[in-house]
């Protein structure tokens, strides 16, 4: 953990957190006053109007370790939604950029009935100049409007809206709203950033959002997931790659989220994929081509990160912003279409079953030999 940044440490469970910082959702004045009296200081305060939520980030008093500071705030107000400022990490690996055949120009995105389909992404930055993404309409958020592309964010974006000769994506006709929560910052991927990204996507009336990030349960994350879901947003997330014995990872394990596992080219679950009753769908997550982090070319990806956007794209077609009933209907319809891949019925490995198998692009189709 220390190799990443001196600003990052591990909580008692070994999860990455910002050193000395605690986040409080909707704090009352009495808690803040008592915290200040103990030597806590306010680092940041955010008002997320779309979520009707105020977030205050506190710094621990000098000489206190972060767990002690959290315990003290919970002692002051046992009902307060206070937690560590956890970091949420990518849930898949992208190979080093590889050569590809020239990418054919893509036509302009086609409008959907009643307007254009919108799909959201919370991840690293997207290389919008990549040949497979140039034809897509992409709205970016984060990093003070500076583009900070990442290999992971670009790969996931290509699986959502990428368009190129012989390359398949799940929703090539959609407009992508991409929130960068990392910005090449040593403390990127905080729960604060994820919350702010969800608020932006709600404001843009994006009906389905892909989150290929994983981490521990967190009170702020739980709050914003519940609020976003209550407003009709459908959240789709990767289950993670910590193995069958891993405890559930979040946000995928929250009941409001559609959790996605990954399979290989033969339809077998990835051995590193997490398991559990929260798993809803399986989709391709290995031996698949994705856009590389540069401005052209493709590479190979592996992990549940790359299965999740396939499910998000498949759910998108029948969704409307703020319509919770339509969201549930879309999930039910996709479940009925899934190919049962494990024990009969829904199971802890494949969920309802395998979907989107046809959306896996064989690497040899787009990569030079």
């Amino acid at each position: 953990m220390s190799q990443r940044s001196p600003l990052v440490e591990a909580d008692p469970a070994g999860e990455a957190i910002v050193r000395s910082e605690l986040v409080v959702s909707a704090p009352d004045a009495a808690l803040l006053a008592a915290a200040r009296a103990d030597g806590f200081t306010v680092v940041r305060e955010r008002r997320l109007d779309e979520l009707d939520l105020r977030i205050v980030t506190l710094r621990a008093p000098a000489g206190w370790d972060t767990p002690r500071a959290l315990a003290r705030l919970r002692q002051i107000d046992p009902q307060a939604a206070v937690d560590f400022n956890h970091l949420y990490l990518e849930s898949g690996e992208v190979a080093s950029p590889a050569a590809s055949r020239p990418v054919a120009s893509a036509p302009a995105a086609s409008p959907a009935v009643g307007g254009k389909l919108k799909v959201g992404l919370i991840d690293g930055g997207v290389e919008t100049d990549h040949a497979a993404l140039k034809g897509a309409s992409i709205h970016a958020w984060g990093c003070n409007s500076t583009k900070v592309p990442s290999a992971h964010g670009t790969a996931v974006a290509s699986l959502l809206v990428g368009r190129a000769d012989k390359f398949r994506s799940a929703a090539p006709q959609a407009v992508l709203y991409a929130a960068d929560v990392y910005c090449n910052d040593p403390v990127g991927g905080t729960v604060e950033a994820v919350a702010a990204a969800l608020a932006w996507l709600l404001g843009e009336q994006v009906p389905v959002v892909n989150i290929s990030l994983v981490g521990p349960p967190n009170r702020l994350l739980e709050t914003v997931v519940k609020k976003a879901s209550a407003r009709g947003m459908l959240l789709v997330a990767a289950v993670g790659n910590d193995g069958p014995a891993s405890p559930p990872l979040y946000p995928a394990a929250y009941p409001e989220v559609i959790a996605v596992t990954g399979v290989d080219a033969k339809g077998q679950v990835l051995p590193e994929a997490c398991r559990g009753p929260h798993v809803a769908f399986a989709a391709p997550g290995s031996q698949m081509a994705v856009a590389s982090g540069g401005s052209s070319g493709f590479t190979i990806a592996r992990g549940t990160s790359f299965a999740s956007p396939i499910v998000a794209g498949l759910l998108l077609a029948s969704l409307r912003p703020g319509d919770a009933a339509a969201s549930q209907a879309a999930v039910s319809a996709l479940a009925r279409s899934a190919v049962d891949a494990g024990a009969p019925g829904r199971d802890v490995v494949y969920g309802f079953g395998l979907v989107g198998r046809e959306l896996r692009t064989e690497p040899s189709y787009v990569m030079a030999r």
Side-chain angles (χ1 to χ4, degrees), residues 247-264:
L249 298 177
Y250 296 82
Y254 287 123
E256 296 83 6
V257 179
I258 305 304
V260 183
T261 191
V263 300
D264 62 18

Side-chain angles (χ1 to χ4, degrees), residues 197-211:
L198 273 174
W200 172 66
L201 291 163
L202 270 172
E204 297 294 338
Q205 297 186 311
V206 177
V208 61
V209 175
N210 180 77
I211 309 175

Side-chain angles (χ1 to χ4, degrees), residues 123-161:
D123 209 294
V126 175
E127 179 49 83
T128 55
D129 290 333
H130 191 283
L133 292 167
K134 273 188 173 181
S137 177
I138 301 176
H139 300 273
W141 174 92
C143 314
N144 295 316
S145 300
T146 300
K147 188 171 80 169
V148 188
S150 73
H152 189 272
T154 301
V156 176
S158 72
L159 292 169
L160 277 170
V161 300

